[in-house]
Amino acid sequence: MGKMMALRGILLLIVAFDGVVSQFQPHLEILPMQSIQRKPVGKSLMLTCRPNVPDVNLVSDLQWKDDQNMTVLPKPIEYYRPLYDSSGNRLPVKPGQQPPPMYTEVLPGDQSLALLIPVLTDTMAGTYYCTASYANTELMVQSVRIETYVAITWKDAPENQYPILGSDYVVKCEVTARPAPSIDWLRNGDPIKTGDRYVVRTHGLLIRSVEEADDGIYTCRAAVIQTGELVERSIRVEVQIKPQIYGLPSVLETVEGQGFSTFCNATGKPVPEFTWVKSIDQRNVAQADRFIVNSITGQMNILTVDKDDYGYYTCIAKNAAGVSQSQTLLDVVIRPRIYELWNTTVAVKVEGQLLCKATGRPPPLITFRRWGSKEELVPGPQPNDDRIVLEQSFDDERGESSGTMRILDVNRTDDGLYECVARNKGESAFKVGHIAVEYPPTFDYMKTLPPVFSWEERPVNLSCLAEGIPNATIEWRLNERLITELYDRNFEIQGSGPRSDLIVTPVDNRYYTAYKCIASNRLGRSEHIMQLKLARIPDAIPQAIPRIVTATSITFDIIAPPVELGMPITAFSVQYIRELDRDWNNAFNRTWSPDSPYIVEGLFPQTTYNFRFAARNLVGLGQWSAYKLQSTPRRSEPEPPRLLHNPIDDSEAEDGADPMVMSPYADHFEMRWSVPPNNGELIDFYQLRYCPGVKVNGEWHETGELCVTRDIHASEATAYDMSSLQAGTYYRTELRAHNAIGFSEPASLMIKTARGGDVVLRKDDPILSSVAIIAIAVGGVLLLLIIMDLLCCKICNIGLLATIRQSGNKSSPSRDIDDDNKFSSSSLVKEPSPSPLPSPSSLKMGLTPPKLTPLDDDQENQPLNNVAANGGVKFIPSSVDYDGTMTYSRSGELIGRNSAV
């Protein structure tokens, strides 16, 4: 055993010594050091042969030899020319100038020689030798073996693949390599188990009956055991779904002349693109005028539908998985158009009809209605008038329809405008036709007119207007004789129909009689008797009763005398004198219109007056009558003011309760009143008192400490704004008038304010709102404009006020002339109405006593101190107008001063 160990040690020493000796023996080294170089085809390779000798300078004839023992030559010198010029542009390659498949290069520094193979091919596999001489005596040789293989290469393996739902699909993964690789698959990182649905094939992975759940990332993994190469390829698989159109109706309906829009909806993956095609000419409507198609949403818009757009349209949905299409009919509703409606003329008692024709798709329904009425005719006889029958007909092929309104027994009320209504799904069309009903002349409306009056040989118009179609001709007769044959210059006929005026100048009583107007047309004739009567002044007034007597005024109730139709009373007049003055020539006059209050003002207190009254019409003033002796009371406190408020219905209130008024505001109320008679002393102020309170068991209880009393100067206004009231509260108000003698009786009123919170002004609230500030600013501007206009009027006689004043001055004379004409003119009006002569709209007559000044007690019983310088009475002419609210007096014509009793 010990001998064996010693022998092994000796052998190790010999080997080590041999290594040391060989280390210093000249030889060649090939780098890389592996004796076998395995490289993939297509790659480049460089092998370096380096001498390992004591003295490199003794090495010579260093070269490489290929597997055919052919010396590999160095790279020719022409291949060392630069590839790019100084500007960076690639230099052209000379024809046939291709680098050799392999060549050698001497590496600087250590006398190494490199074998360079730019592109390795299968034919280059084999054993290569590096040889050299050392000191010209020793030959050095070193070899290396080059083995080639084909690396794993993806020949057909797209990174994105799109199978179609429901089909069989092979996920492509074709790999080339030598030696042949092995293939396995993963899905979303998990190995795929092959079976019924997944089958691994040479060129990929077969998926049977692709489902949407097969989406995912598939990994194709190739491995070569011999080379240890392993390469993975990630493939994104997205299942695509063929488009499927849904929800497209078989018929779409639109209206001619309107816009239209519809959608084509489809499922699919990826989202399909849409196309609309008109089937009749296979034209893509997106390229046509008036059509707009959104290929993403499938919406088709028609800006303005034309009747030629009618037809079938195909929606095509397309994506990478396939194409789907569906067809629909676009039915264009053509709006109705009435193309025939003729006016018609028919006589009474015969049948008439109105025909209306229209076109449209579908054929429109035609009916009629009276112009201005919303009620339309129904087919057949009408429920409320079986004389009227509606007949309808339709032509679907031609798109036409007609409607006929037949009136079996026409009467005058059927005359008028009728509207034809043609209606279908699109809209309605309207056209108006006229049925003119011919009928004999008639004087129906003239039968209620009053007689015509004249007096003092005044010419008068007898106007005769006959209704009839065709227009009637008119002739006049007196005592069954044609007036035209009488040759009487007191008759003048103007017009022969349908209106004719007989102008009569009644010079004596023979002309106050009946005149016959005869109208005729081709359908018949009619007669009308017109009376011309002699007009007279009114009868005496039967009675005038004093109703309200104050110290300075008396209000009368006048009972009018009976009058004849057509001769109304136009005014009432009064004359009055003091009891001691028996001369009516010195009387004061006052005239009222019939609808005004009959008030005599300006009287003296504690004075007795004698009154007489007369009525006036167009003829003149009637006889004085209704004599009345009336005294005025002494001067006293004023009459109670009359409150100008309409109380609410208080029929359920207790007797004697104050009237109730609801305020529209919660915190204030405006009290308004009219000026009462002052009873001989001027009113200097009004006193208003208002108190809040409640009514308990029918009795009013005031809150005394909250009562407010205000004195309002008479010259300021006849209204007062009661402010700072409480919301939803009852207030009792008392208003009294005051003159030098004392207070009047109070006028009472109950007020209830509206509900709402009281207005509380906080410290941080602005004193004036923005609206109030704007209103003040606008008011200031208006005031400035008024002042400027007033200055222009005063200085230059220009501006708005000057224009109003000038127009007023121009109109006054004409108004006075018109008033005079109403009573004294005898000129003939050429175009009067067929009714009797109209009465004047208002009369301005009478006298007003002079304005009285306050008297003391000694003056009250003195005679009238209205004596002129010549000792006569000074008459002040005046007139009285009444507008329904107040009575106004102004100077005017003196009437009746010397009227006889």
Side-chain angles (χ1 to χ4, degrees):
M1 188 69 170
K3 293 181 179 180
M4 292 295 294
M5 293 295 292
L7 181 60
R8 183 177 295 177
I10 294 172
L11 291 176
L12 289 174
L13 289 175
I14 294 172
V15 172
F17 177 78
D18 184 66
V20 172
V21 173
S22 63
Q23 184 177 3
F24 293 97
Q25 183 180 357
H27 64 279
L28 297 175
E29 294 177 346
I30 297 177
L31 300 176
M33 301 293 292
Q34 292 87 355
S35 59
I36 297 177
Q37 297 288 332
R38 289 188 178 90
K39 296 295 180 182
V41 174
K43 300 293 184 178
S44 59
L45 177 63
M46 185 180 76
L47 299 175
T48 302
C49 181
R50 183 175 64 186
N52 189 358
V53 295
D55 188 359
V56 177
N57 295 323
L58 297 179
V59 176
S60 62
D61 198 16
L62 183 62
Q63 59 182 354
W64 278 94
K65 293 185 178 182
D66 60 16
D67 59 344
Q68 302 295 326
N69 204 23
M70 301 294 293
T71 301
V72 180
L73 300 176
K75 186 177 182 180
I77 185 103
E78 58 268 18
Y79 293 110
Y80 287 95
R81 63 189 299 271
L83 299 178
Y84 300 91
D85 60 14
S86 60
S87 301
N89 299 320
R90 186 177 180 87
L91 296 173
V93 179
K94 295 181 179 180
Q97 184 180 350
Q98 297 294 334
M102 63 181 67
Y103 54 89
T104 60
E105 287 185 3
V106 177
L107 301 180
D110 54 359
Q111 296 295 321
S112 299
L113 182 65
L115 172 66
L116 285 84
I117 303 176
V119 179
L120 194 62
T121 64
D122 284 339
T123 60
M124 295 178 180
T127 303
Y128 289 76
Y129 299 91
C130 177
T131 64
S133 295
Y134 183 70
N136 293 323
T137 59
E138 185 176 354
L139 178 64
M140 295 181 294
V141 178
Q142 187 64 265
S143 65
V144 62
R145 182 169 180 79
I146 298 177
E147 294 183 357
T148 62
Y149 66 93
V150 177
I152 296 175
T153 303
W154 306 109
K155 185 176 181 181
D156 186 10
E159 293 182 349
N160 292 284
Q161 300 187 38
Y162 305 96
I164 298 175
L165 181 70
S167 63
D168 294 345
Y169 183 78
V170 176
V171 183
K172 298 178 182 178
C173 184
E174 188 175 351
V175 182
T176 60
R178 193 179 68 247
S182 60
I183 305 296
D184 64 342
W185 288 86
L186 294 88
R187 179 175 178 269
N188 297 329
D190 298 327
I192 295 178
K193 296 180 181 180
T194 59
D196 295 337
R197 295 193 64 243
Y198 296 100
V199 179
V200 177
R201 290 190 173 178
T202 303
H203 301 300
L205 175 67
L206 172 64
I207 304 177
R208 300 183 187 277
S209 299
V210 173
E211 300 174 356
E212 194 170 358
D214 291 328
D215 278 349
I217 303 299
Y218 289 74
T219 302
C220 176
R221 189 165 59 182
V224 178
I225 298 176
Q226 293 84 344
T227 61
E229 187 177 11
L230 176 65
V231 182
E232 294 181 350
R233 182 78 160 185
S234 295
I235 300 173
R236 180 175 176 271
V237 174
E238 182 179 352
V239 177
Q240 294 183 339
I241 303 174
K242 182 179 178 181
Q244 186 66 38
I245 297 175
Y246 68 92
L248 184 64
S250 59
V251 178
L252 295 171
E253 195 172 82
T254 184
V255 179
E256 175 192 19
Q258 297 181 1
F260 174 75
S261 179
T262 188
F263 281 89
C264 182
N265 300 305
T267 59
K269 184 181 177 183
V271 176
E273 292 187 359
F274 295 90
T275 305
W276 283 90
V277 174
K278 191 171 184 180
S279 303
I280 191 171
D281 53 8
Q282 292 299 306
R283 179 182 59 172
N284 187 343
V285 299
Q287 302 172 358
D289 294 337
R290 300 180 293 105
F291 285 78
I292 299 176
V293 175
N294 189 323
S295 61
I296 303 301
T297 63
Q299 183 178 12
M300 178 179 68
N301 293 328
I302 306 178
L303 300 180
T304 305
V305 176
D306 188 81
K307 62 180 180 179
D308 295 333
D309 295 334
Y310 174 87
Y312 286 93
Y313 290 78
T314 301
C315 171
I316 301 174
K318 182 179 181 180
N319 66 5
V323 178
S324 177
Q325 62 184 24
S326 180
Q327 191 177 68
T328 183
L329 173 65
L330 181 61
D331 185 13
V332 178
V333 176
I334 300 177
R335 293 180 295 180
R337 183 178 65 86
I338 298 174
Y339 68 91
E340 182 177 324
L341 180 62
W342 301 103
N343 297 333
T344 183
T345 301
V346 60
V348 292
K349 304 302 181 182
V350 299
E351 180 180 323
Q353 64 179 18
L354 201 60
L355 175 63
C356 181
K357 294 183 179 180
T359 61
R361 187 169 61 220
L365 177 69
I366 294 181
T367 184
F368 293 86
R369 63 186 178 193
R370 194 76 183 248
W371 176 257
S373 172
K374 295 183 179 180
E375 184 177 354
E376 298 180 357
L377 301 186
V378 298
Q382 303 310 298
N384 56 352
D385 191 348
D386 57 2
R387 296 180 307 112
I388 303 176
V389 180
L390 175 62
E391 299 175 349
Q392 299 171 326
S393 63
F394 305 92
D395 188 341
D396 294 333
E397 183 177 351
R398 301 180 61 183
E400 294 182 350
S401 57
S402 65
T404 304
M405 181 183 67
R406 296 173 52 228
I407 304 178
L408 303 181
D409 186 14
V410 174
N411 56 43
R412 284 184 57 186
T413 60
D414 297 323
D415 187 294
L417 297 175
Y418 291 84
E419 189 172 44
C420 172
V421 182
R423 183 182 293 112
N424 66 6
K425 296 180 180 179
E427 59 179 24
S428 299
F430 306 92
K431 194 169 184 179
V432 177
H434 181 231
I435 295 181
V437 178
E438 295 183 334
Y439 57 94
T442 178
F443 295 103
D444 291 342
Y445 89 100
M446 293 188 64
K447 294 179 180 179
T448 59
L449 296 179
V452 181
F453 293 89
S454 182
W455 64 95
E456 298 177 357
E457 300 184 7
R458 296 189 180 196
V460 66
N461 281 14
L462 300 180
S463 296
C464 185
L465 179 62
E467 294 181 289
I469 299 178
N471 288 335
T473 58
I474 295 177
E475 62 181 20
W476 290 89
R477 290 180 178 269
L478 176 60
N479 298 325
E480 299 303 326
R481 293 185 61 188
L482 288 173
I483 291 181
T484 54
E485 298 177 355
L486 297 178
Y487 302 105
D488 189 338
R489 63 181 182 179
N490 294 315
F491 294 119
E492 181 184 352
I493 298 177
Q494 293 182 352
S496 60
R499 170 177 172 169
S500 179
D501 294 328
L502 174 62
I503 303 173
V504 182
T505 304
V507 296
D508 55 47
N509 290 336
R510 291 183 300 114
Y511 295 91
Y512 294 101
T513 183
Y515 296 85
K516 181 181 294 185
C517 171
I518 303 174
S520 59
N521 63 12
R522 60 183 176 84
L523 297 179
R525 58 181 284 161
S526 180
E527 299 178 353
H528 178 65
I529 303 298
M530 299 189 69
Q531 291 286 340
L532 176 60
K533 292 186 175 183
L534 177 62
R536 295 178 174 82
I537 61 174
D539 293 339
I541 294 177
Q543 191 176 12
I545 304 172
R547 180 165 55 88
I548 302 176
V549 180
T550 71
T552 57
S553 66
I554 300 177
T555 302
F556 289 94
D557 288 337
I558 298 177
I559 300 176
V563 297
E564 192 171 2
L565 182 65
M567 287 299 293
I569 292 176
T570 58
F572 291 104
S573 295
V574 63
Q575 286 186 339
Y576 55 97
I577 57 177
R578 286 191 176 186
E579 181 183 16
L580 300 178
D581 188 355
R582 301 296 182 180
D583 187 1
W584 286 99
N585 291 324
N586 298 327
F588 291 96
N589 289 264
R590 179 66 60 101
T591 299
W592 305 283
S593 59
D595 56 348
S596 66
Y598 310 130
I599 304 176
V600 179
E601 298 175 310
L603 303 178
F604 291 103
Q606 292 183 295
T607 304
T608 302
Y609 290 92
N610 198 0
F611 297 89
R612 65 178 182 177
F613 300 86
R616 176 179 290 276
N617 62 10
L618 291 176
V619 179
L621 188 69
Q623 61 179 341
W624 294 104
S625 60
Y627 286 84
K628 188 69 177 178
L629 196 65
Q630 181 65 44
S631 299
T632 57
R634 65 177 180 82
R635 289 182 300 166
S636 64
E637 63 276 359
E639 297 295 317
R642 186 168 67 88
L643 301 180
L644 303 179
H645 297 282
N646 294 323
I648 62 175
D649 184 13
D650 53 355
S651 58
E652 299 179 359
E654 299 177 2
D655 294 339
D658 295 331
M660 173 71 70
V661 174
M662 298 296 296
S663 172
Y665 307 103
D667 60 346
H668 70 278
F669 178 78
E670 185 182 29
M671 177 73 76
R672 303 186 309 274
W673 63 90
S674 62
V675 178
N678 56 30
N679 284 335
E681 291 289 346
L682 293 178
I683 297 174
D684 50 3
F685 69 90
Y686 299 93
Q687 187 179 81
L688 175 64
R689 182 177 184 271
Y690 53 96
C691 299
V694 294
K695 183 175 286 189
V696 179
N697 297 327
E699 294 184 2
W700 174 254
H701 296 272
E702 296 181 352
T703 307
E705 62 273 11
L706 297 179
C707 292
V708 177
T709 302
R710 293 287 184 268
D711 291 340
I712 305 157
H713 197 277
S715 62
E716 292 179 357
T718 55
Y720 181 77
D721 189 15
M722 301 162 51
S723 59
S724 302
L725 304 182
Q726 298 180 2
T729 304
Y730 289 93
Y731 285 84
R732 186 175 186 273
T733 65
E734 290 184 349
L735 180 68
R736 299 188 296 173
H738 181 272
N739 61 11
I741 298 177
F743 284 100
S744 70
E745 292 296 323
S748 300
L749 184 68
M750 292 293 296
I751 300 169
K752 182 180 180 182
T753 55
R755 294 181 179 179
D758 294 336
V759 179
V760 178
L761 185 64
R762 300 191 304 269
K763 293 183 179 180
D764 55 348
D765 287 341
I767 297 177
L768 292 178
S769 66
S770 59
V771 176
I773 295 173
I774 294 174
I776 293 173
V778 173
V781 173
L782 292 177
L783 180 60
L784 179 61
L785 292 176
I786 292 173
I787 294 174
M788 293 177 62
D789 190 72
L790 181 61
L791 293 176
C792 293
C793 177
K794 292 293 185 180
I795 299 174
C796 306
N797 197 25
I798 61 175
L800 181 60
L801 294 176
T803 303
I804 295 174
R805 185 177 63 182
Q806 292 170 5
S807 63
N809 294 336
K810 293 178 181 179
S811 61
S812 297
S814 62
R815 182 172 62 246
D816 295 339
I817 294 173
D818 291 340
D819 292 341
D820 294 341
N821 290 338
K822 292 178 182 177
F823 298 102
S824 61
S825 174
S826 60
S827 61
L828 177 64
V829 180
K830 293 298 182 181
E831 289 295 330
S833 64
S835 59
L837 292 175
S839 55
S841 58
S842 64
L843 295 173
K844 305 174 180 64
M845 310 178 287
L847 295 172
T848 300
K851 183 177 180 180
L852 301 178
T853 58
L855 302 175
D856 54 29
D857 294 338
D858 296 336
Q859 293 174 324
E860 288 185 3
N861 297 320
Q862 298 298 322
L864 294 176
N865 294 326
N866 191 15
V867 181
N870 56 3
V873 176
K874 182 179 179 182
F875 290 95
I876 302 177
S878 67
S879 62
V880 177
D881 290 335
Y882 179 63
D883 62 1
T885 304
M886 299 184 66
T887 304
Y888 303 92
S889 300
R890 58 182 175 182
S891 60
E893 179 187 1
L894 176 62
I895 297 177
R897 174 183 174 187
N898 299 317
S899 300
V901 178

